[in-house]
Coordinates of all heavy atoms in Angstrom, one line a residue:
M1139 N 40.9 22.2 27.9 CA 41.4 22.8 26.7 C 42.8 22.3 26.3 O 43.6 22.2 27.2 CB 41.4 24.4 26.9 CG 41.9 25.1 25.7 SD 42.1 26.9 25.9 CE 40.4 27.4 26.3
D1140 N 43.0 22.0 25.1 CA 44.4 21.6 24.7 C 45.4 22.7 24.8 O 45.1 23.8 24.6 CB 44.3 21.0 23.3 CG 43.5 19.7 23.2 OD1 43.4 19.0 24.2 OD2 43.2 19.3 22.0
C1141 N 46.6 22.3 25.0 CA 47.7 23.3 25.0 C 47.9 23.8 23.6 O 47.8 23.2 22.6 CB 49.0 22.6 25.4 SG 49.1 22.1 27.1
V1142 N 48.2 25.1 23.6 CA 48.4 25.8 22.3 C 49.8 25.4 21.8 O 50.0 25.2 20.6 CB 48.3 27.3 22.5 CG1 48.6 28.0 21.2 CG2 46.8 27.7 22.9
S1143 N 50.8 25.3 22.7 CA 52.1 24.9 22.3 C 52.5 23.7 23.1 O 52.2 23.6 24.3 CB 53.1 26.1 22.5 OG 53.1 26.4 23.8
P1144 N 53.3 22.8 22.5 CA 53.7 21.6 23.2 C 54.7 22.0 24.4 O 55.5 22.9 24.2 CB 54.3 20.7 22.2 CG 54.6 21.6 21.0 CD 53.7 22.8 21.1
T1145 N 54.5 21.3 25.5 CA 55.4 21.5 26.6 C 55.7 20.1 27.2 O 55.0 19.2 27.1 CB 54.9 22.4 27.7 OG1 55.8 22.6 28.7 CG2 53.6 21.9 28.3
D1146 N 56.8 20.0 27.9 CA 57.2 18.8 28.6 C 57.2 19.0 30.1 O 57.5 18.0 30.9 CB 58.6 18.3 28.2 CG 58.7 18.0 26.7 OD1 57.7 17.7 26.1 OD2 59.8 18.1 26.2
T1147 N 56.9 20.2 30.6 CA 56.9 20.5 32.0 C 55.5 21.0 32.4 O 55.0 21.9 31.8 CB 58.0 21.5 32.3 OG1 59.2 21.0 31.9 CG2 58.1 21.8 33.8
F1148 N 55.0 20.5 33.6 CA 53.7 20.8 34.1 C 53.8 21.1 35.5 O 54.6 20.5 36.3 CB 52.7 19.7 33.8 CG 52.6 19.3 32.4 CD1 53.4 18.3 31.8 CD2 51.7 19.9 31.5 CE1 53.3 18.0 30.5 CE2 51.6 19.6 30.2 CZ 52.4 18.6 29.7
Q1149 N 52.9 22.0 36.0 CA 52.9 22.4 37.4 C 52.1 21.3 38.2 O 51.1 20.7 37.7 CB 52.2 23.7 37.6 CG 52.9 24.9 37.0 CD 54.2 25.1 37.7 OE1 54.4 25.0 38.9 NE2 55.2 25.6 36.9
T1150 N 52.4 21.1 39.5 CA 51.6 20.2 40.3 C 50.2 20.7 40.4 O 50.0 21.9 40.5 CB 52.2 20.2 41.7 OG1 53.5 19.7 41.7 CG2 51.4 19.3 42.7
G1151 N 49.2 19.8 40.3 CA 47.8 20.2 40.3 C 47.3 20.5 38.9 O 46.1 20.6 38.7
Q1152 N 48.1 20.7 37.9 CA 47.6 21.0 36.5 C 47.1 19.6 35.9 O 47.8 18.6 36.1 CB 48.8 21.5 35.7 CG 48.4 21.9 34.3 CD 49.6 22.6 33.6 OE1 50.7 22.7 34.1 NE2 49.4 23.0 32.4
R1153 N 46.0 19.7 35.3 CA 45.5 18.5 34.6 C 46.3 18.2 33.4 O 46.4 19.0 32.5 CB 44.0 18.6 34.3 CG 43.1 18.7 35.5 CD 41.7 18.8 35.2 NE 41.1 17.6 34.6 CZ 40.6 16.5 35.2 NH1 40.7 16.5 36.5 NH2 40.2 15.5 34.6
V1154 N 46.8 17.0 33.3 CA 47.7 16.6 32.2 C 47.0 15.5 31.4 O 46.7 14.4 32.0 CB 49.1 16.1 32.7 CG1 49.9 15.6 31.5 CG2 49.8 17.2 33.5
Y1155 N 46.8 15.7 30.1 CA 46.2 14.7 29.2 C 47.3 14.3 28.3 O 48.0 15.1 27.7 CB 45.0 15.3 28.4 CG 43.8 15.6 29.3 CD1 43.7 16.8 30.0 CD2 42.8 14.7 29.4 CE1 42.6 17.0 30.7 CE2 41.7 14.9 30.1 CZ 41.6 16.1 30.8 OH 40.5 16.3 31.6
I1156 N 47.4 13.0 28.1 CA 48.4 12.4 27.2 C 47.6 12.1 25.9 O 46.6 11.5 25.9 CB 49.0 11.2 27.8 CG1 49.7 11.5 29.1 CG2 50.0 10.5 26.8 CD1 50.8 12.6 29.0
T1157 N 48.2 12.5 24.7 CA 47.5 12.3 23.5 C 48.5 11.6 22.5 O 49.6 11.9 22.4 CB 47.2 13.7 22.8 OG1 46.4 14.4 23.7 CG2 46.4 13.5 21.5
L1158 N 47.9 10.6 21.9 CA 48.6 9.8 20.8 C 47.8 10.0 19.5 O 46.6 9.7 19.5 CB 48.7 8.3 21.2 CG 49.3 7.4 20.1 CD1 50.8 7.7 19.9 CD2 49.0 6.0 20.5
E1159 N 48.5 10.6 18.5 CA 47.8 10.9 17.3 C 48.5 10.2 16.1 O 49.8 10.1 16.1 CB 47.7 12.4 17.0 CG 46.7 13.1 17.8 CD 46.6 14.6 17.4 OE1 45.8 14.8 16.5 OE2 47.3 15.4 18.0
S1160 N 47.8 9.9 15.1 CA 48.3 9.3 13.9 C 47.7 10.0 12.6 O 46.6 10.3 12.7 CB 48.0 7.8 13.9 OG 48.4 7.2 12.7
R1161 N 48.5 10.1 11.6 CA 48.0 10.6 10.4 C 47.1 9.7 9.6 O 46.2 10.1 8.9 CB 49.2 11.1 9.4 CG 49.9 12.2 10.0 CD 51.0 12.7 9.1 NE 51.7 13.8 9.7 CZ 52.8 14.3 9.3 NH1 53.4 13.8 8.2 NH2 53.4 15.3 9.9
A1162 N 47.4 8.4 9.8 CA 46.5 7.3 9.2 C 45.8 6.6 10.3 O 46.2 6.7 11.5 CB 47.4 6.3 8.5
P1163 N 44.7 5.9 10.0 CA 44.0 5.2 11.1 C 45.0 4.2 11.8 O 45.8 3.6 11.2 CB 42.9 4.4 10.4 CG 42.7 5.2 9.1 CD 44.0 5.8 8.8
I1164 N 44.8 4.1 13.1 CA 45.7 3.3 13.9 C 45.2 1.8 13.6 O 44.1 1.5 13.7 CB 45.5 3.6 15.5 CG1 45.9 5.0 15.7 CG2 46.3 2.6 16.3 CD1 45.6 5.5 17.1
V1165 N 46.2 1.0 13.3 CA 45.9 -0.4 12.8 C 45.9 -1.4 14.0 O 45.3 -2.5 13.8 CB 46.9 -0.9 11.8 CG1 46.8 0.0 10.5 CG2 48.3 -0.9 12.3
E1166 N 46.4 -1.0 15.1 CA 46.4 -1.9 16.3 C 45.0 -2.0 16.8 O 44.2 -1.0 16.8 CB 47.3 -1.4 17.4 CG 48.8 -1.3 16.9 CD 49.4 -2.6 16.5 OE1 49.1 -3.6 17.1 OE2 50.1 -2.5 15.5
T1167 N 44.6 -3.1 17.4 CA 43.3 -3.2 18.0 C 43.4 -2.9 19.5 O 42.4 -2.5 20.1 CB 42.7 -4.7 17.9 OG1 43.6 -5.6 18.4 CG2 42.4 -4.9 16.4
I1168 N 44.6 -3.1 20.1 CA 44.8 -2.7 21.5 C 46.2 -2.0 21.6 O 47.1 -2.5 21.0 CB 44.8 -3.9 22.4 CG1 43.3 -4.4 22.5 CG2 45.2 -3.5 23.8 CD1 43.2 -5.6 23.4
I1169 N 46.2 -0.9 22.2 CA 47.5 -0.2 22.5 C 47.5 0.0 24.0 O 46.5 0.3 24.7 CB 47.5 1.2 21.8 CG1 47.7 1.0 20.3 CG2 48.7 2.0 22.4 CD1 47.8 2.3 19.6
I1170 N 48.7 -0.3 24.6 CA 48.8 -0.3 26.0 C 49.7 0.9 26.4 O 50.8 1.1 25.9 CB 49.5 -1.6 26.5 CG1 48.7 -2.8 26.1 CG2 49.6 -1.6 28.1 CD1 49.4 -4.1 26.2
G1171 N 49.1 1.7 27.3 CA 49.8 2.9 27.8 C 50.4 2.6 29.2 O 49.8 2.0 30.0
H1172 N 51.7 3.1 29.4 CA 52.4 2.8 30.7 C 52.8 4.2 31.2 O 53.2 5.1 30.4 CB 53.6 1.9 30.5 CG 53.3 0.6 29.8 ND1 53.0 -0.5 30.6 CD2 53.3 0.3 28.5 CE1 52.8 -1.5 29.7 NE2 53.0 -1.1 28.5
V1173 N 52.9 4.3 32.5 CA 53.4 5.5 33.2 C 54.5 5.0 34.1 O 54.3 4.1 35.0 CB 52.4 6.3 33.9 CG1 53.0 7.5 34.6 CG2 51.2 6.7 33.0
Y1174 N 55.7 5.6 34.0 CA 56.8 5.3 34.9 C 57.3 6.6 35.6 O 57.2 7.7 35.0 CB 58.0 4.7 34.1 CG 57.7 3.5 33.4 CD1 57.2 3.5 32.1 CD2 57.9 2.2 34.0 CE1 57.0 2.3 31.4 CE2 57.7 1.0 33.3 CZ 57.2 1.1 32.0 OH 56.9 -0.1 31.4
R1175 N 57.9 6.4 36.7 CA 58.5 7.6 37.4 C 60.0 7.2 37.5 O 60.4 6.1 37.8 CB 57.9 7.7 38.8 CG 58.6 8.8 39.6 CD 58.0 9.0 41.0 NE 58.0 7.7 41.7 CZ 57.3 7.5 42.8 NH1 56.6 8.4 43.4 NH2 57.3 6.2 43.4
A1176 N 60.8 8.3 37.4 CA 62.3 8.1 37.5 C 62.7 7.9 38.9 O 62.2 8.6 39.8 CB 63.0 9.3 36.9
M1177 N 63.5 7.0 39.2 CA 64.1 6.8 40.5 C 65.3 7.7 40.7 O 65.8 8.3 39.8 CB 64.5 5.3 40.7 CG 63.3 4.3 40.5 SD 61.9 4.7 41.6 CE 62.6 4.3 43.2
P1178 N 65.7 7.9 42.0 CA 66.8 8.8 42.2 C 68.1 8.6 41.4 O 68.8 9.6 41.1 CB 67.2 8.6 43.7 CG 65.9 8.1 44.3 CD 65.2 7.3 43.2
Y1179 N 68.4 7.4 40.9 CA 69.5 7.1 40.1 C 69.3 7.3 38.6 O 70.1 7.0 37.8 CB 70.1 5.7 40.4 CG 69.0 4.6 40.4 CD1 68.6 4.0 39.2 CD2 68.4 4.3 41.6 CE1 67.6 3.1 39.2 CE2 67.4 3.3 41.6 CZ 67.1 2.7 40.4 OH 66.1 1.7 40.4
G1180 N 68.1 7.8 38.3 CA 67.8 8.3 36.9 C 67.1 7.3 36.0 O 66.7 7.6 34.9
K1181 N 66.9 6.0 36.4 CA 66.2 5.1 35.5 C 64.7 5.1 35.8 O 64.3 5.3 37.0 CB 66.8 3.7 35.8 CG 68.2 3.6 35.4 CD 68.6 2.1 35.1 CE 70.0 2.1 34.7 NZ 70.3 1.4 33.6
Y1182 N 63.9 4.8 34.8 CA 62.5 4.7 35.0 C 62.1 3.3 35.4 O 61.4 2.6 34.6 CB 61.8 5.2 33.7 CG 61.9 6.6 33.4 CD1 62.8 7.0 32.4 CD2 61.2 7.6 34.1 CE1 62.9 8.4 32.1 CE2 61.3 8.9 33.8 CZ 62.2 9.3 32.8 OH 62.3 10.7 32.6
D1183 N 62.4 3.0 36.6 CA 62.1 1.7 37.2 C 60.8 1.6 37.9 O 60.4 0.5 38.3 CB 63.2 1.2 38.1 CG 64.5 0.9 37.3 OD1 64.4 0.7 36.1 OD2 65.6 0.8 37.9
D1184 N 60.2 2.7 38.3 CA 59.0 2.7 39.1 C 57.8 2.7 38.2 O 57.4 3.8 37.7 CB 59.0 3.9 40.1 CG 58.0 3.8 41.1 OD1 57.3 2.8 41.3 OD2 57.8 4.8 41.9
H1185 N 57.2 1.6 37.9 CA 56.0 1.5 37.1 C 54.8 1.9 37.9 O 54.4 1.2 38.8 CB 55.9 0.1 36.5 CG 54.8 -0.1 35.5 ND1 53.6 -0.7 35.7 CD2 54.8 0.3 34.2 CE1 52.9 -0.7 34.6 NE2 53.6 -0.1 33.7
L1186 N 54.1 3.0 37.5 CA 53.0 3.5 38.2 C 51.6 3.0 37.8 O 50.7 3.0 38.5 CB 53.0 5.0 38.1 CG 54.3 5.7 38.7 CD1 54.2 7.2 38.4 CD2 54.4 5.4 40.1
G1187 N 51.5 2.6 36.5 CA 50.2 2.1 36.0 C 50.2 1.8 34.5 O 51.1 2.2 33.8
T1188 N 49.2 1.1 34.2 CA 49.0 0.7 32.8 C 47.5 0.9 32.4 O 46.6 0.7 33.3 CB 49.3 -0.8 32.6 OG1 50.6 -1.1 33.0 CG2 49.1 -1.3 31.2
K1189 N 47.3 1.2 31.2 CA 45.9 1.4 30.7 C 45.9 0.7 29.3 O 46.7 1.0 28.4 CB 45.5 2.8 30.6 CG 44.2 3.1 29.8 CD 43.2 3.7 30.6 CE 42.0 4.1 29.7 NZ 40.9 3.1 29.8
N1190 N 44.9 -0.2 29.1 CA 44.7 -0.7 27.7 C 43.7 0.1 27.0 O 42.5 0.3 27.5 CB 44.2 -2.2 27.9 CG 45.2 -3.1 28.4 OD1 46.4 -2.8 28.6 ND2 44.8 -4.4 28.6
F1191 N 44.0 0.5 25.8 CA 43.1 1.3 24.9 C 42.6 0.3 23.8 O 43.4 -0.2 23.0 CB 43.8 2.5 24.3 CG 44.3 3.5 25.3 CD1 45.5 3.4 25.9 CD2 43.4 4.5 25.7 CE1 45.9 4.4 26.8 CE2 43.8 5.4 26.6 CZ 45.1 5.4 27.2
E1192 N 41.3 0.1 23.8 CA 40.8 -0.7 22.7 C 40.5 0.3 21.5 O 39.8 1.3 21.7 CB 39.5 -1.4 23.1 CG 39.7 -2.4 24.2 CD 38.5 -3.2 24.5 OE1 37.5 -3.2 23.7 OE2 38.5 -3.8 25.6
I1193 N 41.1 -0.1 20.4 CA 41.1 0.8 19.2 C 40.0 0.4 18.2 O 40.0 -0.8 17.8 CB 42.4 0.8 18.5 CG1 43.6 1.0 19.5 CG2 42.4 1.9 17.4 CD1 43.5 2.3 20.2
G1194 N 39.1 1.3 17.9 CA 38.0 1.0 17.0 C 38.4 1.4 15.6 O 39.5 2.0 15.4
P1195 N 37.6 1.0 14.6 CA 38.0 1.4 13.2 C 38.0 2.9 13.0 O 37.3 3.6 13.7 CB 36.8 0.8 12.4 CG 35.9 0.1 13.3 CD 36.4 0.3 14.7
N1196 N 38.9 3.3 12.2 CA 39.1 4.7 11.8 C 39.4 5.6 13.0 O 39.0 6.8 13.1 CB 37.9 5.3 11.1 CG 37.7 4.6 9.7 OD1 38.6 4.4 9.0 ND2 36.5 4.2 9.4
T1197 N 40.2 5.1 14.0 CA 40.6 5.9 15.1 C 42.0 6.5 14.8 O 42.9 5.8 14.3 CB 40.8 5.0 16.4 OG1 39.5 4.4 16.7 CG2 41.3 5.8 17.5
F1198 N 42.1 7.8 14.9 CA 43.3 8.5 14.6 C 44.0 9.1 15.9 O 45.1 9.5 15.9 CB 43.0 9.7 13.7 CG 42.6 9.3 12.3 CD1 41.3 8.9 12.0 CD2 43.5 9.4 11.3 CE1 41.0 8.6 10.7 CE2 43.2 9.0 10.0 CZ 41.9 8.6 9.7
K1199 N 43.2 9.1 17.0 CA 43.7 9.8 18.2 C 43.2 9.2 19.5 O 42.0 8.7 19.6 CB 43.2 11.3 18.1 CG 43.6 12.2 19.2 CD 43.0 13.6 19.0 CE 43.4 14.6 20.0 NZ 43.0 15.9 19.7
L1200 N 44.1 9.0 20.5 CA 43.8 8.6 21.8 C 44.1 9.8 22.7 O 45.1 10.4 22.6 CB 44.7 7.4 22.2 CG 44.6 6.2 21.4 CD1 45.6 5.2 22.0 CD2 43.2 5.6 21.4
K1201 N 43.3 10.0 23.7 CA 43.5 11.1 24.7 C 43.1 10.5 26.0 O 42.0 10.0 26.2 CB 42.8 12.3 24.3 CG 43.1 13.5 25.2 CD 42.4 14.7 24.6 CE 42.7 16.0 25.5 NZ 42.0 17.1 24.9
H1202 N 44.0 10.7 27.1 CA 43.7 10.2 28.4 C 44.3 11.1 29.4 O 45.4 11.5 29.3 CB 44.3 8.7 28.5 CG 43.9 8.1 29.8 ND1 42.6 7.7 30.1 CD2 44.7 7.7 30.8 CE1 42.6 7.1 31.2 NE2 43.9 7.1 31.7
Y1203 N 43.5 11.3 30.5 CA 44.0 12.1 31.6 C 44.8 11.2 32.6 O 44.4 10.1 32.9 CB 42.7 12.7 32.4 CG 43.1 13.2 33.8 CD1 43.8 14.4 33.9 CD2 42.6 12.6 34.9 CE1 44.1 14.9 35.1 CE2 42.9 13.1 36.1 CZ 43.6 14.2 36.3 OH 43.9 14.7 37.5
I1204 N 45.9 11.7 33.0 CA 46.8 11.0 34.0 C 46.9 11.9 35.2 O 47.4 13.0 35.2 CB 48.2 10.7 33.4 CG1 48.1 9.8 32.2 CG2 49.1 10.0 34.5 CD1 49.4 9.5 31.5
P1205 N 46.4 11.4 36.4 CA 46.4 12.1 37.6 C 47.8 12.0 38.3 O 47.9 11.3 39.3 CB 45.3 11.5 38.4 CG 45.3 10.1 38.0 CD 45.7 10.1 36.5
F1206 N 48.7 12.8 37.9 CA 50.1 12.7 38.4 C 50.1 13.0 39.9 O 50.9 12.4 40.6 CB 51.0 13.6 37.7 CG 51.4 13.1 36.3 CD1 50.8 13.6 35.2 CD2 52.4 12.1 36.2 CE1 51.2 13.0 33.9 CE2 52.7 11.5 35.0 CZ 52.1 12.0 33.8
D1207 N 49.3 13.9 40.4 CA 49.2 14.2 41.8 C 48.9 13.0 42.6 O 49.4 12.8 43.7 CB 48.2 15.3 42.1 CG 48.6 16.7 41.6 OD1 49.8 16.9 41.3 OD2 47.8 17.6 41.5
E1208 N 48.0 12.2 42.1 CA 47.6 10.9 42.9 C 48.6 9.8 42.7 O 48.8 9.0 43.6 CB 46.3 10.5 42.4 CG 45.1 11.4 42.6 CD 43.9 11.0 41.9 OE1 43.7 9.8 41.6 OE2 43.0 11.9 41.7
L1209 N 49.3 9.8 41.5 CA 50.2 8.7 41.2 C 51.6 8.8 41.9 O 52.1 7.9 42.5 CB 50.4 8.5 39.7 CG 49.3 8.0 38.9 CD1 49.6 8.0 37.4 CD2 49.0 6.5 39.3
A1210 N 52.2 10.0 41.6 CA 53.6 10.1 42.0 C 54.1 11.5 42.4 O 55.2 11.6 42.8 CB 54.5 9.5 40.9
G1211 N 53.3 12.5 42.2 CA 53.7 13.8 42.6 C 54.7 14.4 41.6 O 54.6 14.2 40.4
T1212 N 55.8 15.0 42.1 CA 56.7 15.7 41.2 C 57.8 14.9 40.7 O 58.1 13.8 41.2 CB 57.3 16.9 42.0 OG1 58.0 16.4 43.1 CG2 56.2 17.9 42.5
G1213 N 58.5 15.4 39.7 CA 59.7 14.8 39.2 C 59.6 14.3 37.8 O 58.5 14.6 37.1
P1214 N 60.6 13.7 37.2 CA 60.5 13.2 35.9 C 59.7 11.9 35.7 O 59.7 11.1 36.6 CB 62.0 12.9 35.6 CG 62.7 12.8 36.8 CD 61.9 13.5 37.9
H1215 N 59.0 11.8 34.7 CA 58.1 10.7 34.3 C 58.3 10.3 32.9 O 58.7 11.1 32.1 CB 56.6 11.1 34.6 CG 56.3 11.3 36.0 ND1 56.6 12.5 36.6 CD2 55.6 10.5 36.9 CE1 56.2 12.4 37.9 NE2 55.6 11.2 38.1
L1216 N 57.9 9.1 32.6 CA 58.0 8.6 31.2 C 56.6 8.0 30.9 O 56.1 7.2 31.6 CB 59.1 7.5 31.1 CG 59.2 6.9 29.7 CD1 60.0 7.9 28.8 CD2 60.0 5.5 29.8
I1217 N 56.1 8.4 29.7 CA 54.9 7.8 29.1 C 55.3 7.0 28.0 O 56.1 7.4 27.2 CB 53.9 9.0 28.6 CG1 53.7 10.0 29.7 CG2 52.6 8.4 28.1 CD1 53.1 9.5 31.0
E1218 N 54.7 5.8 27.9 CA 55.1 4.8 26.9 C 53.8 4.2 26.3 O 53.0 3.7 27.1 CB 56.0 3.8 27.4 CG 56.5 2.7 26.5 CD 57.4 1.7 27.2 OE1 56.9 0.8 27.9 OE2 58.6 1.8 27.0
F1219 N 53.7 4.1 25.0 CA 52.7 3.3 24.3 C 53.3 2.1 23.7 O 54.3 2.3 22.9 CB 51.9 4.2 23.3 CG 51.1 5.2 23.9 CD1 51.5 6.6 24.0 CD2 49.8 4.9 24.4 CE1 50.6 7.5 24.6 CE2 49.0 5.9 25.0 CZ 49.4 7.2 25.1
T1220 N 52.7 0.9 23.9 CA 53.2 -0.3 23.3 C 52.1 -1.0 22.6 O 50.9 -0.8 22.8 CB 53.8 -1.2 24.3 OG1 52.8 -1.7 25.2 CG2 54.9 -0.6 25.1
K1221 N 52.5 -1.9 21.7 CA 51.6 -2.9 21.0 C 51.3 -4.0 22.1 O 52.0 -4.1 23.1 CB 52.2 -3.5 19.8 CG 52.5 -2.5 18.7 CD 53.1 -3.2 17.5 CE 53.4 -2.2 16.4 NZ 54.0 -2.8 15.2
E1222 N 50.4 -4.8 21.8 CA 50.1 -6.0 22.7 C 51.3 -6.9 22.9 O 51.4 -7.4 24.0 CB 48.9 -6.8 22.1 CG 47.6 -6.3 22.4 CD 46.5 -7.3 22.0 OE1 46.2 -7.4 20.8 OE2 46.0 -8.0 22.9
D1223 N 52.1 -7.0 21.9 CA 53.3 -7.9 22.0 C 54.4 -7.2 22.8 O 55.5 -7.8 23.0 CB 53.8 -8.3 20.7 CG 54.4 -7.2 19.8 OD1 54.5 -6.1 20.3 OD2 54.7 -7.5 18.6
G1224 N 54.2 -6.0 23.3 CA 55.2 -5.3 24.1 C 56.2 -4.4 23.3 O 57.0 -3.7 23.9
S1225 N 56.1 -4.5 22.0 CA 57.0 -3.6 21.2 C 56.5 -2.1 21.4 O 55.4 -1.8 21.3 CB 57.1 -4.0 19.7 OG 55.8 -4.0 19.2
V1226 N 57.5 -1.3 21.5 CA 57.2 0.1 21.8 C 56.8 0.9 20.6 O 57.5 0.8 19.5 CB 58.5 0.8 22.5 CG1 58.3 2.3 22.7 CG2 58.8 0.1 23.8
L1227 N 55.8 1.7 20.7 CA 55.3 2.5 19.6 C 56.0 3.9 19.7 O 56.5 4.5 18.8 CB 53.8 2.7 19.6 CG 53.0 1.4 19.2 CD1 51.5 1.6 19.5 CD2 53.2 1.1 17.7
I1228 N 55.9 4.4 21.0 CA 56.4 5.8 21.2 C 56.6 6.0 22.7 O 55.9 5.4 23.5 CB 55.5 6.9 20.6 CG1 56.3 8.2 20.6 CG2 54.2 6.9 21.3 CD1 55.6 9.3 19.7
T1229 N 57.6 6.8 23.1 CA 57.8 7.2 24.5 C 57.9 8.7 24.6 O 58.3 9.3 23.6 CB 59.0 6.5 25.1 OG1 60.2 7.0 24.4 CG2 59.0 5.0 25.1
K1230 N 57.6 9.3 25.7 CA 57.7 10.7 25.9 C 58.1 11.0 27.4 O 57.4 10.4 28.3 CB 56.4 11.4 25.6 CG 56.4 12.9 25.8 CD 57.2 13.6 24.7 CE 57.1 15.1 24.8 NZ 57.9 15.8 23.9
E1231 N 59.1 11.7 27.6 CA 59.5 12.1 28.9 C 58.8 13.5 29.3 O 58.7 14.3 28.4 CB 61.0 12.3 29.1 CG 61.8 11.0 29.0 CD 63.3 11.2 29.1 OE1 63.8 11.9 28.2 OE2 63.8 10.8 30.1
L1232 N 58.4 13.6 30.5 CA 57.8 14.9 31.0 C 58.2 15.1 32.4 O 58.6 14.1 33.1 CB 56.3 15.0 30.7 CG 55.4 13.9 31.3 CD1 55.0 14.2 32.7 CD2 54.2 13.7 30.3
F1233 N 58.0 16.3 32.9 CA 58.4 16.7 34.3 C 57.3 17.3 35.0 O 56.7 18.3 34.4 CB 59.7 17.6 34.2 CG 60.3 17.8 35.5 CD1 61.2 16.9 36.0 CD2 59.9 18.9 36.3 CE1 61.8 17.1 37.3 CE2 60.5 19.1 37.6 CZ 61.5 18.2 38.1
I1234 N 57.0 16.9 36.2 CA 56.0 17.6 37.0 C 56.7 18.4 38.1 O 57.5 17.8 38.9 CB 55.0 16.5 37.7 CG1 54.4 15.6 36.6 CG2 53.9 17.2 38.5 CD1 53.5 16.2 35.6
K1235 N 56.4 19.7 38.1 CA 57.1 20.6 39.1 C 56.3 20.6 40.4 O 55.1 20.6 40.4 CB 57.2 22.0 38.6 CG 58.2 22.2 37.5 CD 58.6 23.6 37.4 CE 58.2 24.3 36.2 NZ 58.6 25.7 36.1

């Protein structure tokens, strides 16, 4: 079930789905999602994984489950979506307690 209100903080063990939505159809044919974990000095240098999303015609929304418990556990994380050329579409910080 989708969250009723947006939040940036989630409990360990809670299933977290990342959603990218657009008002117009997404024009990219591939969007790359990245997950990073913050290191003790505060930079998001720990790259945990990448997922390529193939975008079909008339796609307005991407939704994907990220198993934070398996990837990195607790702490601050950064979700980033980029175009194939590496240019950033959007980033979002979140925290796993």
Side-chain angles (χ1 to χ4, degrees):
M1139 180 185 296
D1140 289 342
C1141 291
V1142 175
S1143 61
T1145 183
D1146 297 337
T1147 302
F1148 302 91
Q1149 296 293 326
T1150 300
Q1152 186 175 1
R1153 291 183 66 89
V1154 178
Y1155 291 85
I1156 303 302
T1157 304
L1158 173 67
E1159 285 187 88
S1160 175
R1161 291 184 182 166
I1164 299 170
V1165 296
E1166 303 300 321
T1167 56
I1168 293 179
I1169 291 179
I1170 304 167
H1172 305 271
V1173 180
Y1174 299 91
R1175 177 179 51 191
M1177 298 307 290
Y1179 47 86
K1181 296 202 182 231
Y1182 290 105
D1183 289 343
D1184 191 8
H1185 188 252
L1186 301 175
T1188 300
K1189 167 122 176 97
N1190 291 354
F1191 295 92
E1192 293 185 23
I1193 310 301
N1196 294 317
T1197 299
F1198 291 82
K1199 182 177 182 177
L1200 302 175
K1201 185 174 181 178
H1202 184 70
Y1203 166 68
I1204 299 180
F1206 285 102
D1207 288 346
E1208 297 171 22
L1209 287 174
T1212 61
H1215 292 77
L1216 181 75
I1217 308 302
E1218 177 180 79
F1219 287 102
T1220 64
K1221 297 179 182 181
E1222 277 188 283
D1223 67 6
S1225 58
V1226 176
L1227 293 168
I1228 192 165
T1229 63
K1230 179 71 173 176
E1231 292 181 294
L1232 53 90
F1233 191 86
I1234 306 296
K1235 289 201 244 180

